[in-house]
């Protein structure tokens, strides 16, 4: 084990900077450790020095980012543990801060059970928080069918997908119905392989795009007048 002995008059900034340098294996992966170190540093350092420490951690040296990290320390202990273990992302953690401690614990329970990552975790958290705030409803009431019972580990991906779909239907019922209508339309028309139908992004309106495939440009030229007549 190596030990670095520093002079008693070593500047506070240098002490914190050395902690960052020698904790590269843990600090970057734990926003909780980052926030804790920055919270301690703020007690003795000027703001510009704290921002320099933020940059040393790999973040933009901006005040809002500093406040974002420090705000994570106000989360429920269950959320802090999930953040530290890498189960909960810092981005998702920001949304959890809008919930009560009980609601945070419940949502963390869902995340611990199904382990969604990346965009799925972000969507799960965003939609659950939106529904809880919109209807002033406990999170446990929203996800009651997915917590508290026995889950089959092999079926968890399917259960997670069902949960996300259910939340999406509650968040945007009109868009969900529009998507179902579009799929019924495709089944009704049964377009050939050379034709594809695409709805507007996120089914935000009722527009439909029709794409035609031609294996050669000559085939396109041969059908062009017919196509023009159809769209006029």
């Amino acid at each position: 084990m190596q030990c670095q002995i520093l002079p008693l008059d070593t500047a506070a900034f240098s002490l914190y900077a050395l902690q960052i340098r020698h904790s590269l294996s843990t600090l970057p992966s734990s926003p909780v450790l980052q926030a804790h170190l920055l919270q301690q540093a703020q007690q003795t350092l000027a703001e510009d020095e704290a921002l320099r420490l933020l940059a040393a951690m790999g973040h933009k040296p901006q005040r809002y980012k500093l406040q974002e990290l420090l705000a994570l320390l106000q989360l429920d202990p269950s959320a802090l543990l999930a953040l530290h273990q890498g189960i909960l992302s810092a981005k998702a953690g920001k949304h959890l801060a809008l919930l009560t401690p009980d609601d945070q614990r419940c949502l963390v329970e869902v995340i611990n059970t199904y382990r969604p990552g990346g965009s799925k975790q972000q969507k799960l958290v965003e939609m659950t928080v939106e529904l809880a705030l919109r209807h002033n409803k406990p999170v446990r009431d929203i996800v009651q069918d997915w917590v508290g019972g026995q889950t089959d580990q092999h079926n968890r991906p399917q259960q997670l997908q069902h949960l996300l779909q259910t939340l999406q239907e509650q968040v945007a019922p009109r868009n969900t119905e529009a998507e179902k209508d579009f799929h019924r339309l495709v089944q009704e028309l049964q377009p050939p392989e050379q034709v594809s139908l695409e709805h507007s992004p996120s089914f935000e309106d009722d527009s439909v795009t029709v794409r035609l495939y031609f294996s050669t440009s000559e085939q396109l030229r041969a059908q062009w007048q017919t196509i023009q007549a159809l769209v006029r």
Side-chain angles (χ1 to χ4, degrees):
M1 179 181 294
Q2 294 181 345
C3 178
Q4 186 173 2
I5 301 176
L6 301 175
L8 292 176
D9 59 352
T10 301
F13 176 83
S14 298
L15 292 175
Y16 290 115
L18 284 170
Q19 288 185 58
I20 295 172
R21 180 181 303 173
H22 293 292
S23 302
L24 290 179
S25 61
T26 55
L27 273 177
S29 61
S30 175
V32 177
L33 291 181
Q34 292 180 353
H36 183 66
L37 187 146
L38 289 168
Q39 185 184 59
Q40 289 183 321
Q42 272 198 320
Q43 299 176 13
T44 55
L45 299 182
E47 184 179 71
D48 63 325
E49 291 179 312
L51 294 178
R52 286 168 59 193
L53 292 179
L54 195 63
M57 294 176 178
H59 300 291
K60 293 182 179 179
Q62 298 178 349
R63 182 182 300 174
Y64 85 91
K65 186 61 184 179
L66 177 63
Q67 296 305 321
E68 277 185 358
L69 277 171
L70 293 175
L72 294 177
L73 297 177
Q74 304 304 315
L75 292 173
D76 183 80
S78 64
L80 287 175
L81 180 60
L83 276 169
H84 180 63
Q85 294 175 332
I87 299 171
L88 177 68
S89 72
K91 187 176 181 180
K94 290 192 302 182
H95 289 274
L96 260 69
L98 300 172
L99 300 175
T100 66
D102 285 343
D103 285 342
Q104 291 180 38
R105 285 191 290 272
C106 183
L107 192 45
V108 168
E109 181 182 347
V110 175
I111 293 172
N112 275 322
T113 299
Y114 298 100
R115 299 298 174 97
S119 61
K120 286 188 177 181
Q121 180 178 122
Q122 192 64 24
K123 288 179 181 178
L124 169 63
V125 171
E126 288 180 353
M127 291 191 294
T128 305
V129 170
E130 180 176 345
L131 289 171
L133 297 180
R134 182 193 298 177
H135 301 295
N136 193 25
K137 196 174 184 180
V139 167
R140 191 165 296 276
D141 289 354
I142 298 172
V143 297
Q144 58 186 341
D145 293 335
W146 288 268
V147 295
Q150 296 294 325
T151 59
D152 185 344
Q153 185 173 358
H154 298 290
N155 289 333
R156 284 178 184 176
Q158 292 84 357
Q159 292 173 324
L160 172 61
Q161 193 59 39
H162 183 209
L163 170 58
L164 292 172
Q165 182 179 348
T166 301
L167 293 175
Q168 180 63 43
E169 291 175 355
Q170 295 180 46
V171 168
R174 292 183 181 178
N175 292 1
T176 302
E177 189 59 36
E179 181 177 5
K180 292 179 180 178
D181 288 343
F182 174 70
H183 290 312
R184 285 193 287 265
L185 173 65
V186 173
Q187 290 180 346
E188 175 188 340
L189 298 179
Q190 295 186 352
E193 293 182 359
Q194 297 87 349
V195 179
S196 65
L197 305 179
E198 298 176 5
H199 205 284
S200 59
S202 301
F203 298 88
E204 56 198 17
D205 56 45
D206 200 33
S207 62
V208 178
T209 300
V210 179
R211 297 184 184 273
L212 305 177
Y213 171 78
F214 298 94
S215 58
T216 66
S217 58
E218 290 304 319
Q219 287 184 352
L220 173 60
R221 287 193 178 96
Q223 299 294 328
W224 187 244
Q225 288 186 346
T226 302
I227 296 172
Q228 285 184 311
L230 289 174
V231 298
R232 285 175 182 169

